[in-house]
Amino acid sequence: MSGEPGWAPTAEQIDGSRVVDFARWLGTEGIVTLADPRDYRELQAWSASEPARFWESVARYFGVDFGAKATEVLSAHEMPGARWFQGSSMNFAREMLKNGAADRTAIVLVRDDGHRESITFGQLREQVAAVAGGLADRGVGEGDRVVAYLPNCIEGVVAFLASATLGAVWSQTGMDYAPAAAMDRLGQLDPTVFIAGTGYLFKGLQQDRREAVAELRVLLPVDALVVSIETGGVPRDDTTPCDITWEQLHRFSKPVNAAINVPFDHPLWVLFTSGTTGRPKGIVHGHGGALLEQLVSPGFHMDLGEDDVFFWFTTPNWMMWNAQICGLLHGATIVLFDGSPTHPDTGLLWRVVQDLGVTVFGTSPGYLQASARDGVEPGRDLDLSALQLIGVTGSVLPASSNQWVRDHVGRDLQVGSMSGGTDIVGIFVASAPNLPVYDGEISGPALGVALEVWDEKGNRLPDGETGEMVITRPMPSMPIAFWDDPEGERYRDAYFDVFPGVWRHGDSITVTERGTIVIHGRTDSTLNRNGVRLGSAEIYEAVESLPEVTDSLVVGVELPEGGYWMPLFVVVDPVGDEAELRSRIVETIAGRTSRRHVPDEIIVVPGLPHTRTGKRLEVPIKRILQGAAPRRVASMGAVDDVQALKWMIDFANKRNGSDVASTVLPTDAYEDWRIYHEQDLPRVLSAALDVFAEKGYHGTTTRQLADRSGLSVPGIYHHYKSKQDILFDLMTVIVDELIERSRFAVAEAADDPRAQFDALVSSMLLFHVYRRKGAIVSTSELRSLEPGNRRKYLERRDELQVMLDGVIDLGVSSGVFDTPYPGDAARAITSMCAGVATWYRPEAPLSFDPLLDRYLSIAEAIVGVR
């Protein structure tokens, strides 16, 4: 841990900051008198311990225009369940548009082909009012969903603000998403309006997405009004879905100049998780919570104001788009970018910073590392005198990037590393204008965040020790709900199932003795070799310093017998002597970190998959290497390089000695399909079967599953991402056993329809007697499967029905059976066999052999055996 900061604020910078002005204002208003208003850590401690007073003060300080005042600021402190500013009303769009002089530039759009366009605050207000009028004329109102399939464009910001003006709910994806992947997100919302572009720009080339829009329009489950916008320089044509053009939408309607007041927790937007581990979850944020978070995040931590030009490189797929546009909230000019950040060269974004006089520039560790690797010299070659802060988020920022900024961009520049997430569209830890910056560390917890570090048993750890980052008190920016989660089950599972009543974010962190934060990575992907936790960021920093290494991925794989395998996958350009390259990688990692950081194996790969927001797929790849079925842990539509993901799947299959990675028991175990031994399930599934049978899925917590299986709660999450995954895997294993036993039963009977029928019905009856607990759980908890999982499960289960249908059809066509209703007969037999599980007990007076004969006779009568 470095003793000296890499950057420290001057006395002038501290005294001129808005956060210090706020601290002094608190004293002037009689809210709280701090010993030293310049001391960030004193203010932060108060804000964390008094959340209601802090967030009410934020609203007052920034002059939030409440239509109705709150009767109570914080109704309860429970998480989930805390209710903020009850009885109040307001509107996010009104707050976004009230600052900024009419003739000041509000938004600048820059494309990587050099195209630029802009609008002023006055024009922005006029366009928002006009579009809101057009939407209102077409029946859009409070709670309706307006969704968009757009690139970064000015129209997207206008459409969002117009929707919020009316109290409608906004959601969007970028146009680089495939139609099916976009539908997985937007289709969940049953939208009233679908706003679609025609294309986007990437590496100077137009990406025509008109066909993708047409496909997505067909995939959407409702008949939404289609509003077409020409984007990316791609013109609209006769085949482009279009009920109304963007120009028509706002040209002929009466403007809505007064935003509608909605409750504080009225839904504002729905952001979706990356979708790498199943159906993307829709995270719903409210008007008031999003507003207060965005007043504090850029307003205090980035010191953003009306004189600033705010440019954060992002796409509409990432929550930073939502955060970026909130620069308007502070009267700042915001810069949108459409295209590749490295085309025509890596220095492009730095030139945008120069040309537009950007004062706050937001980027990723990856872009800083790419700039260093490619020899970019922004400080030498460009005039960056306006630049005051470089904000960084998205992954762990290595210490070397801070040093590179000082040496190659500006020695007096603050590098503001921060971390938060889609979950709150904000920050948990961040820099501040009155805090120093230490290389490789984040300056401290954000204002209003009650952050602690806990071990896996829920004990608070002292400074210097590594553990789970938890938030012990509510924040108004926490989601108001997950979409289509009426009982709040998925919401609780996501954040509160490990430590009930305490938000567990899933990051492994250390709070240093000086109060800074070191993030080691996600809890379920943090490298933990022989009990020693290693930060993957340190390995990436080392290996990607080699000029030929263009990408890398390291994972730690816990092996079934207790071993640990830590491979490093690298993408190399150009590919040379691999043995020599491996040797240099080992030397570089050992020299920059330690010998314990050196991977067990270095594997050169043609490419690596990422999420569409550019994040490494550490957890899904780890689970695939452990043998999890790829369809369970990764969605092809949610990654940027499908072929790279397929390569990884093939590699895992070969390493694991199988053609198909699956948790299903091998089929050759059921050749003697009549014989049932004690069920041999993995211990997590065995525990789930017992507890789900006793308490039901919704009555079961992850901690109960951990206790029953003899694991810790984090141990459960090494095997499964969520309780939903456990249920789906359990039900899949159960139905797969039934199907595979039944296949062997039919195959044993050769080509005789009567023998096939008797064998198949016998197999179904035997299964529902000897696997009755699993059969009952599968039947009763079918309703608990999320829609995507339910569809997959039913598709598998229906294979059994198809098997029975085929046997009966064959018997009818060959004259063995005589029934005019073969389909109905098959379903009646299936229901009869399944019903046995609900009442038969092995210890019952009636032995199973007579029962089997009796039920076979009934089944034969149903199909009319001759």
Side-chain angles (χ1 to χ4, degrees), residues 38 91 442 709:
R38 304 168 85 252
N91 189 284
I442 298 178
S709 60

Side-chain angles (χ1 to χ4, degrees), residues 221-400:
V222 295
D223 187 22
L225 175 76
V226 180
V227 179
S228 178
I229 305 175
E230 292 188 345
T231 56
V234 178
R236 190 184 301 111
D237 64 13
D238 292 340
T239 66
T240 307
C242 177
D243 295 321
I244 187 172
T245 68
W246 176 254
E247 294 76 18
Q248 291 168 336
L249 178 66
H250 63 78
R251 186 175 297 161
F252 305 112
S253 298
K254 181 180 179 181
V256 175
N257 292 304
I260 296 170
N261 282 319
V262 294
F264 185 90
D265 58 358
H266 183 78
L268 172 67
W269 53 43
V270 180
L271 279 74
F272 288 93
T273 57
S274 62
T276 58
T277 56
R279 185 191 191 206
K281 297 180 179 66
I283 302 177
V284 187
H285 296 102
H287 277 243
L291 172 66
L292 294 183
E293 175 65 30
Q294 293 305 321
L295 289 172
V296 167
S297 297
F300 289 153
H301 288 276
M302 290 185 260
D303 207 29
L304 198 70
E306 290 191 349
D307 296 330
D308 285 303
V309 177
F310 183 35
F311 171 33
W312 202 293
F313 172 71
T314 184
T315 76
N317 299 325
W318 190 19
M319 53 79 58
M320 286 309 303
W321 182 91
N322 303 72
Q324 152 90 85
I325 66 171
C326 288
L328 298 170
L329 186 63
H330 300 276
T333 297
I334 65 169
V335 179
L336 308 178
F337 182 87
D338 183 29
S340 167
T342 57
H343 177 82
D345 58 73
T346 310
L348 174 60
L349 298 188
W350 296 110
R351 293 194 294 275
V352 172
V353 171
Q354 170 193 256
D355 295 347
L356 297 181
V358 171
T359 57
V360 178
F361 172 43
T363 187
S364 67
Y367 183 70
L368 295 181
Q369 290 169 310
S371 296
R373 184 179 62 240
D374 294 347
V376 179
E377 294 286 349
R380 183 193 67 191
D381 300 337
L382 302 171
D383 177 8
L384 303 180
S385 56
L387 187 60
Q388 300 168 18
L389 171 70
I390 298 177
V392 188
T393 194
S395 59
V396 177
L397 178 69
S400 61

Side-chain angles (χ1 to χ4, degrees), residues 551-572:
D551 200 1
S552 61
L553 176 78
V554 63
V555 293
V557 181
E558 295 85 0
L559 301 176
E561 289 75 31
Y564 194 79
W565 177 53
M566 195 174 94
L568 171 67
F569 300 92
V570 294
V571 181
V572 180

Side-chain angles (χ1 to χ4, degrees), residues 407-429:
D407 293 344
H408 300 274
V409 185
R411 186 151 296 276
D412 297 327
L413 266 177
Q414 181 185 10
V415 178
S417 182
M418 60 194 70
S419 181
T422 302
D423 317 85
I424 61 167
V425 192
I427 51 177
F428 290 121
V429 293

Side-chain angles (χ1 to χ4, degrees), residues 676-687:
Y676 279 80
H677 301 289
E678 184 176 349
Q679 197 164 16
D680 183 21
L681 292 173
R683 59 177 171 170
V684 174
L685 295 187
S686 180

Side-chain angles (χ1 to χ4, degrees), residues 166 288 301 383 418 486 583 729 735-736 829 849:
L166 300 174
H301 288 276
D383 177 8
M418 60 194 70
S583 178
D729 207 2
V735 75
D736 281 345
I829 292 167
D849 289 342

Side-chain angles (χ1 to χ4, degrees), residues 674-717:
R674 298 177 181 84
I675 304 301
Y676 279 80
H677 301 289
E678 184 176 349
Q679 197 164 16
D680 183 21
L681 292 173
R683 59 177 171 170
V684 174
L685 295 187
S686 180
L689 178 59
D690 290 340
V691 183
F692 289 160
E694 294 169 12
K695 302 178 180 295
Y697 174 78
H698 291 292
T700 299
T701 67
T702 304
R703 181 166 294 282
Q704 290 168 334
L705 294 175
D707 291 343
R708 187 69 65 92
S709 60
L711 295 170
S712 65
V713 172
I716 289 283
Y717 285 107

